Amino acid sequence: MTKKTNRNDAILTSEFNAPNQFWTLSDLRKLAGLTQCEMAAKLGVSQPAYAVFEKSVNLRAGTLQKIITAIGGELHFKVRLHGHNFNLKVV
């Protein structure tokens, strides 16, 4: 049995460590191989409501955490202050 090459693996390999690379929620959802409908079901909302999340520029930290967890990821916040990096704990 041959291993199927995943297009998303190639994308991650070539772009993941690119300096100043920024990803949208839509990008991450697609890399996870999920549709908006699947994400909506995971979050217990409608597909149109989830689409609003992907377009939003002002998500609450808790909402963003739920979305990233549903994708299968972990959310970390880093703060740069006075030339130093700090990991921010969100409770």
Side-chain angles (χ1 to χ4, degrees):
M1 185 183 262
T2 60
K3 182 181 175 189
K4 181 180 175 184
T5 302
N6 186 341
R7 179 182 166 277
N8 294 341
D9 289 342
I11 292 169
L12 286 174
T13 301
S14 64
E15 297 181 16
F16 183 70
N17 290 319
N20 301 316
Q21 176 68 39
F22 292 93
W23 299 79
T24 65
L25 287 177
S26 176
D27 294 333
L28 294 174
R29 172 183 53 77
K30 290 172 185 174
L31 284 171
L34 298 167
T35 65
Q36 284 189 345
C37 289
E38 291 168 327
M39 282 299 298
K42 286 176 173 272
L43 295 168
V45 300
S46 67
Q47 181 276 326
Y50 178 76
V52 170
F53 292 152
E54 284 194 356
K55 294 176 185 171
S56 178
V57 294
N58 193 22
L59 285 175
R60 295 178 63 191
T63 302
L64 185 57
Q65 175 69 47
K66 288 177 185 175
I67 292 168
I68 298 301
T69 299
I71 289 171
E74 297 176 9
L75 181 64
H76 300 272
F77 291 99
K78 186 176 280 189
V79 177
R80 183 140 178 95
L81 179 65
H82 302 298
H84 300 280
N85 291 322
F86 300 90
N87 292 316
L88 180 64
K89 182 177 181 181
V90 179
V91 290

Coordinates of all heavy atoms in Angstrom, one line a residue:
M1 N 0.8 -1.2 0.0 CA 0.0 0.0 0.0 C 0.9 1.2 0.0 O 1.8 1.4 0.8 CB -0.9 0.0 1.2 CG -1.9 1.1 1.3 SD -2.9 1.0 2.8 CE -4.3 0.2 2.2
T2 N 0.7 2.2 -0.9 CA 1.5 3.4 -1.0 C 0.8 4.5 -0.2 O -0.4 4.6 -0.1 CB 1.7 3.8 -2.4 OG1 0.4 4.1 -3.0 CG2 2.4 2.8 -3.3
K3 N 1.7 5.3 0.4 CA 1.2 6.4 1.2 C 0.8 7.5 0.2 O 1.5 7.9 -0.7 CB 2.3 6.9 2.1 CG 1.9 8.1 2.9 CD 3.0 8.6 3.8 CE 2.5 9.8 4.6 NZ 3.5 10.5 5.3
K4 N -0.4 8.0 0.4 CA -0.9 9.1 -0.4 C -0.2 10.4 0.0 O -0.1 10.8 1.2 CB -2.4 9.2 -0.2 CG -3.1 10.3 -1.0 CD -4.6 10.4 -0.7 CE -5.2 11.5 -1.5 NZ -6.6 11.7 -1.2
T5 N 0.3 11.1 -1.0 CA 0.9 12.4 -0.7 C -0.1 13.4 -0.4 O -1.1 13.6 -1.2 CB 1.8 12.9 -1.9 OG1 2.7 11.8 -2.2 CG2 2.5 14.2 -1.6
N6 N 0.0 14.1 0.7 CA -0.9 15.1 1.1 C -0.4 16.5 0.6 O 0.6 16.9 0.9 CB -1.0 15.1 2.6 CG -2.1 16.0 3.1 OD1 -2.6 17.0 2.4 ND2 -2.5 15.8 4.3
R7 N -1.3 17.2 -0.2 CA -1.0 18.5 -0.7 C -0.7 19.5 0.4 O 0.2 20.3 0.3 CB -2.1 19.0 -1.6 CG -1.9 20.4 -2.2 CD -3.1 20.8 -3.0 NE -3.1 22.2 -3.2 CZ -3.5 23.2 -2.4 NH1 -3.9 22.9 -1.2 NH2 -3.4 24.4 -2.7
N8 N -1.4 19.3 1.5 CA -1.2 20.2 2.6 C 0.2 20.0 3.3 O 0.7 21.0 3.8 CB -2.3 20.0 3.7 CG -3.7 20.4 3.1 OD1 -3.8 21.2 2.2 ND2 -4.7 19.9 3.7
D9 N 0.7 18.8 3.2 CA 2.1 18.6 3.7 C 3.1 19.4 2.9 O 4.0 20.0 3.5 CB 2.4 17.1 3.7 CG 1.7 16.3 4.7 OD1 1.1 16.9 5.7 OD2 1.6 15.0 4.5
A10 N 2.9 19.4 1.6 CA 3.8 20.2 0.8 C 3.7 21.7 1.1 O 4.7 22.4 1.1 CB 3.5 19.9 -0.7
I11 N 2.5 22.2 1.3 CA 2.3 23.6 1.6 C 3.0 23.9 2.9 O 3.7 24.9 3.0 CB 0.8 23.9 1.7 CG1 0.1 23.8 0.3 CG2 0.6 25.3 2.3 CD1 -1.4 23.9 0.4
L12 N 2.8 23.1 3.9 CA 3.4 23.3 5.2 C 4.9 23.3 5.1 O 5.6 24.1 5.7 CB 2.9 22.3 6.3 CG 1.5 22.5 6.8 CD1 1.1 21.4 7.7 CD2 1.4 23.9 7.5
T13 N 5.5 22.3 4.4 CA 6.9 22.2 4.3 C 7.5 23.4 3.6 O 8.5 23.9 4.1 CB 7.3 20.9 3.4 OG1 6.7 19.8 4.1 CG2 8.7 20.8 3.3
S14 N 6.9 23.9 2.6 CA 7.5 25.0 1.9 C 7.2 26.4 2.5 O 8.0 27.3 2.4 CB 7.0 25.1 0.4 OG 5.6 25.3 0.4
E15 N 6.1 26.5 3.2 CA 5.7 27.8 3.7 C 5.7 28.0 5.3 O 5.7 29.1 5.8 CB 4.3 28.2 3.2 CG 4.2 28.3 1.7 CD 2.8 28.7 1.3 OE1 2.0 29.1 2.1 OE2 2.5 28.5 0.1
F16 N 5.8 26.9 6.0 CA 5.6 27.0 7.4 C 6.6 27.8 8.1 O 6.2 28.6 9.0 CB 5.6 25.6 8.0 CG 5.3 25.5 9.5 CD1 4.1 25.8 10.0 CD2 6.3 25.2 10.4 CE1 3.8 25.9 11.4 CE2 6.1 25.2 11.8 CZ 4.8 25.5 12.2
N17 N 7.8 27.8 7.7 CA 8.9 28.5 8.4 C 9.2 29.8 7.7 O 10.2 30.4 8.0 CB 10.1 27.6 8.6 CG 9.9 26.6 9.6 OD1 9.3 26.8 10.7 ND2 10.3 25.4 9.4
A18 N 8.4 30.2 6.7 CA 8.7 31.4 6.0 C 8.6 32.6 7.0 O 7.7 32.7 7.7 CB 7.7 31.6 4.8
P19 N 9.6 33.5 6.9 CA 9.6 34.7 7.8 C 8.3 35.5 7.5 O 8.0 35.7 6.4 CB 10.9 35.4 7.6 CG 11.5 34.8 6.4 CD 10.8 33.5 6.1
N20 N 7.7 36.0 8.6 CA 6.6 36.9 8.5 C 5.4 36.3 7.7 O 4.6 37.0 7.1 CB 7.0 38.2 7.8 CG 8.0 38.9 8.6 OD1 8.0 39.0 9.8 ND2 9.0 39.4 7.9
Q21 N 5.3 34.9 7.8 CA 4.1 34.3 7.2 C 3.0 34.3 8.1 O 3.1 34.0 9.3 CB 4.5 32.8 6.9 CG 3.3 32.0 6.3 CD 2.9 32.4 4.9 OE1 3.8 32.7 4.1 NE2 1.6 32.4 4.7
F22 N 1.8 34.8 7.6 CA 0.6 34.9 8.4 C -0.4 34.1 7.8 O -0.6 34.0 6.6 CB 0.1 36.4 8.5 CG 1.1 37.3 9.3 CD1 2.1 38.0 8.7 CD2 1.0 37.3 10.7 CE1 2.9 38.8 9.4 CE2 1.8 38.1 11.4 CZ 2.8 38.8 10.8
W23 N -1.2 33.4 8.6 CA -2.2 32.5 8.2 C -3.6 33.0 8.6 O -3.7 33.4 9.8 CB -2.0 31.1 8.7 CG -0.7 30.5 8.3 CD1 0.6 30.8 8.8 CD2 -0.4 29.6 7.3 NE1 1.5 30.1 8.2 CE2 1.0 29.3 7.2 CE3 -1.2 28.9 6.4 CZ2 1.5 28.4 6.4 CZ3 -0.7 28.0 5.5 CH2 0.7 27.8 5.5
T24 N -4.6 32.8 7.8 CA -6.0 33.2 8.2 C -6.6 31.9 8.8 O -6.1 30.8 8.6 CB -6.8 33.7 7.0 OG1 -6.9 32.6 6.1 CG2 -6.1 34.9 6.3
L25 N -7.7 32.1 9.5 CA -8.5 31.0 10.0 C -8.9 30.1 8.8 O -8.9 28.9 8.9 CB -9.7 31.4 10.8 CG -9.4 32.0 12.1 CD1 -10.7 32.5 12.8 CD2 -8.7 31.0 13.0
S26 N -9.3 30.7 7.7 CA -9.7 29.9 6.5 C -8.5 29.1 6.1 O -8.7 27.9 5.7 CB -10.1 30.9 5.4 OG -10.4 30.1 4.2
D27 N -7.3 29.6 6.0 CA -6.1 28.9 5.6 C -5.9 27.7 6.5 O -5.6 26.5 6.0 CB -4.8 29.7 5.7 CG -4.8 30.9 4.7 OD1 -5.4 30.8 3.6 OD2 -4.1 31.9 5.0
L28 N -6.0 27.9 7.8 CA -5.7 26.8 8.8 C -6.8 25.7 8.7 O -6.5 24.6 8.8 CB -5.6 27.4 10.2 CG -4.5 28.3 10.5 CD1 -4.6 29.0 11.8 CD2 -3.1 27.6 10.3
R29 N -8.0 26.2 8.5 CA -9.1 25.2 8.4 C -8.9 24.3 7.2 O -9.0 23.1 7.2 CB -10.5 25.9 8.3 CG -11.6 25.0 7.9 CD -12.9 25.7 7.7 NE -12.9 26.8 6.8 CZ -12.9 26.7 5.5 NH1 -12.9 25.5 4.9 NH2 -12.9 27.7 4.7
K30 N -8.5 24.9 6.1 CA -8.3 24.2 4.8 C -7.1 23.2 5.0 O -7.1 22.1 4.5 CB -8.1 25.1 3.7 CG -9.3 25.8 3.3 CD -9.1 26.9 2.2 CE -10.4 27.7 1.9 NZ -10.1 28.8 1.0
L31 N -6.0 23.7 5.7 CA -4.9 22.8 5.9 C -5.2 21.6 6.8 O -4.6 20.6 6.7 CB -3.7 23.6 6.6 CG -3.0 24.5 5.7 CD1 -2.0 25.5 6.5 CD2 -2.2 23.7 4.7
A32 N -6.2 21.8 7.7 CA -6.7 20.7 8.5 C -7.6 19.8 7.7 O -8.0 18.8 8.2 CB -7.4 21.3 9.7
G33 N -8.0 20.2 6.5 CA -8.8 19.3 5.7 C -10.3 19.4 6.0 O -11.0 18.5 5.8
L34 N -10.7 20.5 6.6 CA -12.1 20.7 7.1 C -12.8 21.7 6.2 O -12.3 22.7 5.8 CB -12.1 21.1 8.5 CG -11.5 20.1 9.5 CD1 -11.3 20.8 10.9 CD2 -12.4 18.9 9.6
T35 N -14.1 21.5 6.1 CA -15.0 22.5 5.4 C -15.6 23.4 6.5 O -15.5 23.1 7.7 CB -16.2 21.8 4.7 OG1 -17.0 21.1 5.7 CG2 -15.6 20.8 3.7
Q36 N -16.2 24.5 6.0 CA -16.9 25.4 7.0 C -18.0 24.7 7.7 O -18.2 24.9 8.8 CB -17.4 26.6 6.3 CG -16.3 27.7 5.9 CD -16.9 29.0 5.4 OE1 -18.1 29.0 5.1 NE2 -16.1 30.0 5.4
C37 N -18.7 23.8 6.9 CA -19.8 23.0 7.5 C -19.3 22.1 8.6 O -20.0 22.0 9.7 CB -20.6 22.2 6.5 SG -21.6 23.3 5.4
E38 N -18.2 21.4 8.4 CA -17.6 20.6 9.4 C -17.2 21.4 10.6 O -17.4 20.9 11.8 CB -16.5 19.8 8.8 CG -16.9 18.7 7.8 CD -15.7 18.2 7.0 OE1 -14.7 18.9 6.8 OE2 -15.8 17.0 6.7
M39 N -16.6 22.5 10.4 CA -16.2 23.4 11.5 C -17.4 23.8 12.3 O -17.4 23.8 13.6 CB -15.3 24.6 11.0 CG -13.9 24.2 10.7 SD -13.0 23.6 12.1 CE -13.0 25.0 13.2
A40 N -18.4 24.3 11.6 CA -19.6 24.7 12.3 C -20.2 23.6 13.2 O -20.6 23.9 14.3 CB -20.6 25.2 11.2
A41 N -20.2 22.4 12.6 CA -20.8 21.3 13.4 C -19.9 21.0 14.7 O -20.5 20.8 15.8 CB -20.8 20.0 12.6
K42 N -18.6 21.1 14.5 CA -17.7 20.9 15.7 C -18.0 22.0 16.8 O -17.8 21.7 18.0 CB -16.3 21.0 15.3 CG -15.8 19.7 14.5 CD -14.3 19.9 14.1 CE -13.7 18.7 13.5 NZ -13.1 17.8 14.5
L43 N -18.3 23.2 16.3 CA -18.5 24.3 17.3 C -19.9 24.5 17.7 O -20.2 25.3 18.6 CB -18.0 25.6 16.6 CG -16.5 25.6 16.3 CD1 -16.1 26.8 15.4 CD2 -15.7 25.7 17.6
G44 N -20.8 23.7 17.1 CA -22.2 23.9 17.5 C -22.9 25.1 17.0 O -23.8 25.7 17.7
V45 N -22.5 25.6 15.8 CA -23.0 26.8 15.2 C -23.4 26.5 13.8 O -23.0 25.5 13.3 CB -22.1 28.0 15.3 CG1 -21.7 28.4 16.7 CG2 -20.8 27.8 14.5
S46 N -24.1 27.4 13.1 CA -24.5 27.2 11.7 C -23.3 27.6 10.9 O -22.3 28.3 11.3 CB -25.6 28.1 11.4 OG -25.2 29.5 11.4
Q47 N -23.3 27.1 9.6 CA -22.2 27.4 8.7 C -22.1 28.9 8.4 O -21.0 29.5 8.4 CB -22.4 26.6 7.4 CG -21.3 26.9 6.3 CD -21.6 28.1 5.5 OE1 -22.7 28.5 5.2 NE2 -20.5 28.8 5.1
P48 N -23.2 29.6 8.3 CA -23.1 31.1 8.1 C -22.5 31.8 9.3 O -21.7 32.7 9.2 CB -24.6 31.5 7.9 CG -25.3 30.4 7.3 CD -24.6 29.2 8.0
A49 N -22.8 31.3 10.5 CA -22.2 31.9 11.7 C -20.7 31.6 11.7 O -19.9 32.5 12.1 CB -22.9 31.3 13.0
Y50 N -20.3 30.4 11.3 CA -18.9 30.1 11.3 C -18.2 31.0 10.3 O -17.1 31.5 10.5 CB -18.6 28.6 11.1 CG -17.1 28.4 11.0 CD1 -16.3 28.4 12.1 CD2 -16.4 28.3 9.8 CE1 -15.0 28.3 12.1 CE2 -15.1 28.2 9.7 CZ -14.3 28.2 10.9 OH -13.0 28.1 10.8
A51 N -18.8 31.2 9.1 CA -18.2 32.0 8.1 C -17.9 33.4 8.6 O -16.9 34.0 8.2 CB -19.1 32.1 6.8
V52 N -18.8 33.9 9.5 CA -18.6 35.2 10.1 C -17.3 35.2 10.9 O -16.5 36.2 10.9 CB -19.8 35.7 10.9 CG1 -19.5 36.9 11.7 CG2 -21.0 35.9 10.0
F53 N -17.1 34.1 11.7 CA -15.9 34.0 12.5 C -14.6 34.2 11.6 O -13.7 34.8 11.9 CB -15.8 32.7 13.2 CG -16.8 32.5 14.3 CD1 -17.2 31.2 14.6 CD2 -17.3 33.5 15.0 CE1 -18.1 31.0 15.6 CE2 -18.2 33.3 16.0 CZ -18.6 32.0 16.4
E54 N -14.7 33.5 10.4 CA -13.5 33.5 9.6 C -13.2 34.9 9.0 O -12.1 35.2 8.7 CB -13.6 32.5 8.4 CG -13.4 31.1 8.8 CD -13.2 30.1 7.7 OE1 -13.4 30.5 6.5 OE2 -13.0 28.9 7.9
K55 N -14.2 35.7 8.8 CA -14.1 37.0 8.3 C -13.9 38.1 9.3 O -13.5 39.2 9.0 CB -15.3 37.4 7.5 CG -15.5 36.5 6.2 CD -16.8 36.9 5.5 CE -17.0 35.9 4.3 NZ -18.3 36.0 3.7
S56 N -14.1 37.7 10.6 CA -14.0 38.7 11.7 C -12.6 39.2 12.0 O -11.6 38.4 11.9 CB -14.6 38.1 13.0 OG -14.5 39.0 14.0
V57 N -12.4 40.4 12.3 CA -11.1 41.0 12.7 C -11.1 41.2 14.2 O -10.1 41.7 14.7 CB -10.8 42.3 11.9 CG1 -10.6 42.0 10.4 CG2 -11.8 43.3 12.1
N58 N -12.2 40.9 14.9 CA -12.3 41.2 16.3 C -12.9 40.0 17.0 O -13.9 40.2 17.7 CB -13.1 42.5 16.5 CG -13.0 43.0 17.9 OD1 -12.1 42.7 18.6 ND2 -14.0 43.8 18.3
L59 N -12.2 38.9 17.0 CA -12.7 37.7 17.7 C -12.3 37.8 19.2 O -11.2 38.2 19.5 CB -12.2 36.4 17.1 CG -12.8 35.9 15.8 CD1 -12.0 34.7 15.3 CD2 -14.2 35.6 16.0
R60 N -13.1 37.3 20.1 CA -12.7 37.1 21.5 C -11.7 36.0 21.6 O -11.8 35.0 20.8 CB -14.0 36.8 22.3 CG -15.0 38.0 22.3 CD -16.2 37.7 23.1 NE -15.8 37.5 24.5 CZ -16.6 37.0 25.4 NH1 -17.8 36.7 25.1 NH2 -16.2 36.8 26.7
A61 N -10.8 36.1 22.6 CA -9.8 35.1 22.8 C -10.4 33.7 23.0 O -9.9 32.7 22.4 CB -8.9 35.5 23.9
G62 N -11.5 33.6 23.7 CA -12.2 32.4 24.0 C -12.7 31.7 22.7 O -12.6 30.5 22.5
T63 N -13.3 32.6 21.9 CA -13.8 32.1 20.6 C -12.7 31.5 19.7 O -12.8 30.5 19.1 CB -14.6 33.2 19.9 OG1 -15.7 33.6 20.7 CG2 -15.2 32.7 18.5
L64 N -11.6 32.3 19.6 CA -10.5 31.9 18.8 C -9.9 30.6 19.4 O -9.5 29.7 18.6 CB -9.4 33.0 18.8 CG -8.2 32.8 17.9 CD1 -8.6 32.5 16.5 CD2 -7.3 34.0 18.0
Q65 N -9.8 30.5 20.7 CA -9.3 29.2 21.3 C -10.2 28.0 20.9 O -9.7 27.0 20.5 CB -9.3 29.4 22.8 CG -8.9 28.1 23.6 CD -7.5 27.7 23.4 OE1 -6.6 28.6 23.5 NE2 -7.2 26.5 23.1
K66 N -11.5 28.2 20.9 CA -12.4 27.1 20.5 C -12.2 26.7 19.1 O -12.2 25.5 18.7 CB -13.9 27.5 20.8 CG -14.2 27.6 22.2 CD -15.7 28.0 22.4 CE -16.0 28.2 23.9 NZ -17.3 28.8 24.1
I67 N -12.1 27.7 18.2 CA -11.9 27.4 16.8 C -10.6 26.7 16.6 O -10.5 25.6 15.8 CB -11.9 28.7 16.0 CG1 -13.3 29.3 16.0 CG2 -11.4 28.5 14.5 CD1 -13.4 30.8 15.5
I68 N -9.5 27.1 17.1 CA -8.2 26.5 16.9 C -8.2 25.1 17.5 O -7.7 24.1 16.9 CB -7.1 27.3 17.6 CG1 -7.0 28.7 16.9 CG2 -5.7 26.6 17.5 CD1 -6.7 28.6 15.4
T69 N -8.8 24.9 18.7 CA -9.0 23.5 19.2 C -9.8 22.6 18.3 O -9.4 21.5 18.1 CB -9.6 23.6 20.6 OG1 -8.8 24.4 21.5 CG2 -9.8 22.2 21.3
A70 N -10.8 23.1 17.7 CA -11.7 22.3 16.8 C -10.9 21.9 15.6 O -11.1 20.9 15.0 CB -12.9 23.1 16.5
I71 N -10.0 22.8 15.1 CA -9.2 22.5 14.0 C -8.2 21.4 14.3 O -7.7 20.7 13.5 CB -8.4 23.8 13.5 CG1 -9.4 24.7 12.8 CG2 -7.3 23.4 12.5 CD1 -8.8 26.1 12.5
G72 N -7.9 21.3 15.6 CA -6.9 20.3 16.1 C -5.6 20.9 16.5 O -4.6 20.2 16.6
G73 N -5.6 22.2 16.7 CA -4.4 22.9 17.0 C -4.4 23.4 18.5 O -5.3 23.2 19.2
E74 N -3.3 24.1 18.8 CA -3.2 24.8 20.1 C -2.9 26.3 19.9 O -2.2 26.6 19.0 CB -2.0 24.2 20.9 CG -2.1 22.8 21.2 CD -0.9 22.2 21.9 OE1 0.0 23.0 22.2 OE2 -0.8 21.0 22.1
L75 N -3.5 27.1 20.7 CA -3.4 28.5 20.5 C -2.4 29.1 21.6 O -2.6 28.7 22.8 CB -4.7 29.2 20.7 CG -4.7 30.7 20.5 CD1 -4.3 31.2 19.1 CD2 -6.1 31.3 20.8
H76 N -1.4 29.8 21.2 CA -0.5 30.4 22.1 C -0.4 31.9 21.7 O -0.4 32.3 20.6 CB 0.9 29.8 21.9 CG 0.9 28.3 22.2 ND1 1.1 27.8 23.5 CD2 0.8 27.3 21.4 CE1 1.1 26.5 23.4 NE2 0.9 26.2 22.2
F77 N -0.3 32.7 22.8 CA -0.1 34.2 22.6 C 1.3 34.6 23.0 O 1.7 34.2 24.1 CB -1.1 35.0 23.4 CG -2.5 34.8 22.9 CD1 -3.4 34.0 23.5 CD2 -3.0 35.6 21.8 CE1 -4.7 33.8 23.1 CE2 -4.3 35.5 21.3 CZ -5.2 34.6 22.0
K78 N 2.0 35.4 22.2 CA 3.3 35.9 22.6 C 3.2 37.4 22.6 O 2.7 38.0 21.6 CB 4.3 35.4 21.6 CG 5.8 35.8 22.0 CD 6.8 35.2 21.1 CE 7.0 33.7 21.5 NZ 8.1 33.1 20.9
V79 N 3.7 38.0 23.6 CA 3.8 39.5 23.7 C 5.2 39.9 23.7 O 6.1 39.4 24.3 CB 3.1 39.9 25.0 CG1 3.2 41.4 25.2 CG2 1.7 39.4 25.1
R80 N 5.5 41.0 22.9 CA 6.8 41.6 22.9 C 6.7 42.9 23.6 O 5.9 43.8 23.2 CB 7.3 41.8 21.4 CG 8.7 42.3 21.4 CD 9.5 41.6 20.3 NE 10.8 42.2 20.2 CZ 11.9 41.7 20.8 NH1 11.8 40.6 21.5 NH2 13.1 42.2 20.6
L81 N 7.4 43.1 24.7 CA 7.4 44.3 25.5 C 8.8 44.7 25.9 O 9.5 43.9 26.5 CB 6.5 44.0 26.7 CG 6.3 45.2 27.7 CD1 5.5 46.3 27.0 CD2 5.5 44.7 28.9
H82 N 9.1 45.9 25.6 CA 10.4 46.5 25.9 C 11.6 45.6 25.4 O 12.6 45.3 26.1 CB 10.6 46.7 27.4 CG 9.5 47.6 28.0 ND1 9.4 48.9 27.6 CD2 8.5 47.4 28.9 CE1 8.4 49.5 28.2 NE2 7.9 48.6 29.0
G83 N 11.4 45.0 24.2 CA 12.5 44.2 23.7 C 12.5 42.7 24.2 O 13.5 42.0 23.9
H84 N 11.5 42.4 25.0 CA 11.5 41.0 25.5 C 10.2 40.3 25.1 O 9.2 40.9 25.0 CB 11.6 41.0 27.1 CG 12.8 41.7 27.6 ND1 14.0 41.0 27.7 CD2 13.1 43.0 28.0 CE1 15.0 41.9 28.1 NE2 14.4 43.0 28.4
N85 N 10.3 39.0 24.9 CA 9.1 38.2 24.6 C 8.6 37.5 25.8 O 9.3 37.0 26.7 CB 9.5 37.1 23.6 CG 9.9 37.6 22.2 OD1 9.3 38.6 21.8 ND2 10.9 37.1 21.6
F86 N 7.3 37.5 25.9 CA 6.5 36.9 27.0 C 5.4 36.1 26.5 O 4.7 36.5 25.6 CB 5.9 38.0 28.0 CG 6.9 38.9 28.6 CD1 7.3 40.1 27.9 CD2 7.5 38.6 29.8 CE1 8.2 41.0 28.5 CE2 8.4 39.5 30.4 CZ 8.8 40.7 29.7
N87 N 5.3 34.9 27.0 CA 4.1 34.0 26.7 C 3.0 34.4 27.6 O 3.1 34.5 28.8 CB 4.5 32.5 26.9 CG 5.5 32.1 25.9 OD1 5.4 32.4 24.8 ND2 6.5 31.3 26.4
L88 N 1.9 34.7 26.9 CA 0.7 35.2 27.6 C -0.3 34.0 27.9 O -0.6 33.3 27.0 CB -0.1 36.2 26.8 CG -1.4 36.8 27.4 CD1 -1.0 37.6 28.7 CD2 -2.0 37.7 26.4
K89 N -0.6 33.9 29.2 CA -1.5 32.8 29.6 C -2.9 33.4 29.5 O -3.2 34.4 30.2 CB -1.2 32.3 31.0 CG -2.1 31.2 31.5 CD -1.7 30.7 32.9 CE -2.5 29.6 33.3 NZ -2.1 29.1 34.7
V90 N -3.8 32.7 28.8 CA -5.2 33.1 28.7 C -6.0 32.1 29.5 O -6.0 30.9 29.2 CB -5.7 33.2 27.2 CG1 -7.1 33.6 27.1 CG2 -4.8 34.2 26.4
V91 N -6.7 32.6 30.5 CA -7.5 31.7 31.3 C -9.0 31.9 31.1 O -9.4 32.9 30.6 CB -7.2 31.8 32.8 CG1 -5.8 31.3 33.0 CG2 -7.3 33.2 33.3

